[in-house]
Amino acid sequence: MAAMSPPQLKIKLQIYCGDEIAMGPGKADLLDAIRREGSISGAARAMDMSYRRAWLLVDAMNRCWREPLVATAPGGAARGGGAKVTAVGERVLALYHDLQASCATAAGSEPWHALADALLDVPKASQKG
Amino acid sequence: MAAMSPPQLKIKLQIYCGDEIAMGPGKADLLDAIRREGSISGAARAMDMSYRRAWLLVDAMNRCWREPLVATAPGGAARGGGAKVTAVGERVLALYHDLQASCATAAGSEPWHALADALLDVPKASQKG
């Protein structure tokens, strides 16, 4: 009964630094939200994420790169202080989005069309041999 | 104390069909294992995965594509029957690997080098503002 929906390719880019993820889709979304909301707590609320989780993601980013990607005002976001994406953070975010675009372009290619057009079907509800 | 390790880019391609993942890194690895092991149970063992989980992944793949990617012998793998990757399964797997290669090539480009060379650092153990 599900509406027909075309097959969709999702590309997830994760930049690892040792065992830590220095940048990925979730962290990029969080940076975008901090830029919009002006604080970690506001960004967490907008993303329906706990403040603790948002803080841990920011902490990981700030440890993985040569310079912090997010700067917090004295007092900290928990007490109403603001947070902003640094110049380095803006650059990392822009390059990450460039990287996503390159991959998306590459993926709009021969193998994907062969997979999507010729082989993929809408899911059947169930199937017994 | 962690050894210096270069930053690493991981690219995860997921092909969605409706809400289901028709192909992704885990399912591709499972197909490779079924090809090697000749059964779902053997593949599950080799991947340190429960038989139930492997079976559910195979079931999802077989429902998402026009034709099944895995064919099981009568009796089923649970009772020692074998399983093999079908010709369609081989084709999907090859195209998926082609898609991964295209993305990896695209990612070995300008934005990635800028990120990896100029900005990324080895994680620091901790940092206090």
Side-chain angles (χ1 to χ4, degrees):
Chain A
M1 292 298 160
M4 297 276 289
S5 62
Q8 207 190 341
L9 179 63
K10 290 199 185 165
I11 302 173
K12 196 171 177 175
L13 299 177
Q14 294 176 315
I15 299 172
Y16 277 80
C17 197
D19 291 335
E20 293 231 58
I21 299 177
M23 187 54 60
K27 289 188 172 82
D29 287 348
L30 181 59
L31 285 186
D32 281 328
I34 289 170
R35 192 160 50 175
R36 272 195 321 271
E37 305 291 332
S39 70
I40 296 175
S41 55
R45 247 191 323 271
M47 293 182 71
D48 202 16
M49 177 189 283
S50 71
Y51 173 74
R52 180 182 152 74
R53 177 158 167 72
W55 188 90
L56 288 172
L57 293 174
V58 167
D59 183 59
M61 285 190 274
N62 280 357
R63 280 183 293 104
C64 282
W65 301 84
R66 295 229 172 109
E67 294 176 44
L69 305 196
V70 174
T72 50
R79 281 186 280 156
K84 67 188 201 74
V85 177
T86 64
V88 170
E90 296 285 352
R91 179 148 182 245
V92 168
L93 195 56
L95 288 167
Y96 180 77
H97 288 317
D98 286 353
L99 205 53
Q100 287 180 309
S102 306
C103 281
T105 304
S109 60
E110 205 47 54
W112 169 242
H113 290 300
L115 281 166
D117 296 343
L119 297 173
L120 202 57
D121 208 351
V122 287
K124 292 175 268 292
S126 73
Q127 183 171 291
K128 294 274 178 267
Chain B
M1 292 298 161
M4 296 276 288
S5 62
Q8 206 191 341
L9 179 63
K10 290 198 185 167
I11 302 172
K12 196 170 176 178
L13 300 177
Q14 294 175 315
I15 299 173
Y16 276 80
C17 197
D19 291 335
E20 293 232 57
I21 299 177
M23 188 53 61
K27 290 188 171 82
D29 287 350
L30 181 59
L31 285 185
D32 281 328
I34 290 170
R35 193 160 48 176
R36 273 196 320 270
E37 304 292 331
S39 70
I40 296 175
S41 55
R45 249 192 320 273
M47 292 182 72
D48 202 17
M49 177 188 283
S50 71
Y51 172 74
R52 179 181 153 75
R53 176 157 167 72
W55 188 90
L56 288 172
L57 293 175
V58 167
D59 184 58
M61 285 190 274
N62 281 357
R63 282 183 292 106
C64 282
W65 301 84
R66 295 230 171 107
E67 295 176 43
L69 306 195
V70 173
T72 50
R79 283 187 277 158
K84 69 188 200 73
V85 177
T86 63
V88 171
E90 296 285 353
R91 181 150 178 243
V92 168
L93 195 56
L95 287 168
Y96 180 77
H97 288 317
D98 285 353
L99 206 53
Q100 287 180 310
S102 305
C103 281
T105 303
S109 61
E110 205 47 54
W112 169 242
H113 290 300
L115 281 166
D117 296 342
L119 298 173
L120 203 56
D121 209 352
V122 288
K124 294 176 267 292
S126 74
Q127 183 171 291
K128 293 276 179 264

